[in-house]
Amino acid sequence: MTAPRTAVAGGDITVPGRPVGVTHGDAAYWARVHRITAEAPPLADHQRAVIRAAFHQPRKPKEQAA
């Protein structure tokens, strides 16, 4: 599922959860994201396992119906 996008004045596309005024294809935004993630310390094995497990959980019946 992707985040819904809405058009605002001036034709810019906004995505919920992004700072105001940042459009989907803003190169400066993505450069900042890549810089921050490059500076982050590497994940430990148990942290990777927790993240992997969260994404591989079976769907609940309510989610299956959607």
Side-chain angles (χ1 to χ4, degrees):
M1 180 176 188
T2 59
R5 300 176 189 174
T6 57
V8 295
D12 289 338
I13 303 273
T14 61
V15 178
R18 291 249 180 105
V20 175
V22 174
T23 60
H24 181 67
D26 189 0
Y29 173 82
W30 290 110
R32 180 174 175 257
V33 168
H34 291 296
R35 180 180 46 81
I36 291 170
T37 56
E39 294 173 0
L43 294 174
D45 288 339
H46 73 278
Q47 291 172 311
R48 284 191 196 104
V50 169
I51 293 168
R52 191 173 294 120
F55 284 100
H56 288 92
Q57 293 292 323
R59 290 186 175 202
K60 296 178 183 174
K62 182 179 178 182
E63 294 171 337
Q64 289 175 348

